[in-house]
Amino acid sequence: MDRARSKASESPIQVSVDDLAALEEENRRLKALLVHRLPQENAQLGSMLARFK
């Protein structure tokens, strides 16, 4: 298993500029989704926890 890991770390991964741009765009989209969704989920969880106080 260690041999496989060292061989994998020795060979660089080739990624095209287009693939990298697509991944960066997906990252931006997912981060924006989290920015929108997390406060809503936190508010919902807060109201659920408030019932136990």
Side-chain angles (χ1 to χ4, degrees):
M1 185 171 212
D2 289 330
R3 288 183 196 161
R5 200 178 315 166
S6 10
K7 284 184 182 182
S9 64
E10 290 174 10
S11 59
I13 297 173
Q14 299 295 321
V15 179
S16 73
V17 174
D18 290 339
D19 287 342
L20 184 57
L23 288 171
E24 288 176 351
E25 178 57 35
E26 183 179 7
N27 240 1
R28 282 190 290 274
R29 183 185 67 80
L30 292 171
K31 285 179 183 179
L33 181 63
L34 281 175
V35 165
H36 178 72
R37 193 175 204 176
L38 286 178
Q40 291 176 339
E41 289 183 9
N42 284 342
Q44 182 182 14
L45 289 171
S47 67
M48 292 169 72
L49 287 172
R51 289 186 282 175
F52 294 104
K53 289 183 177 182

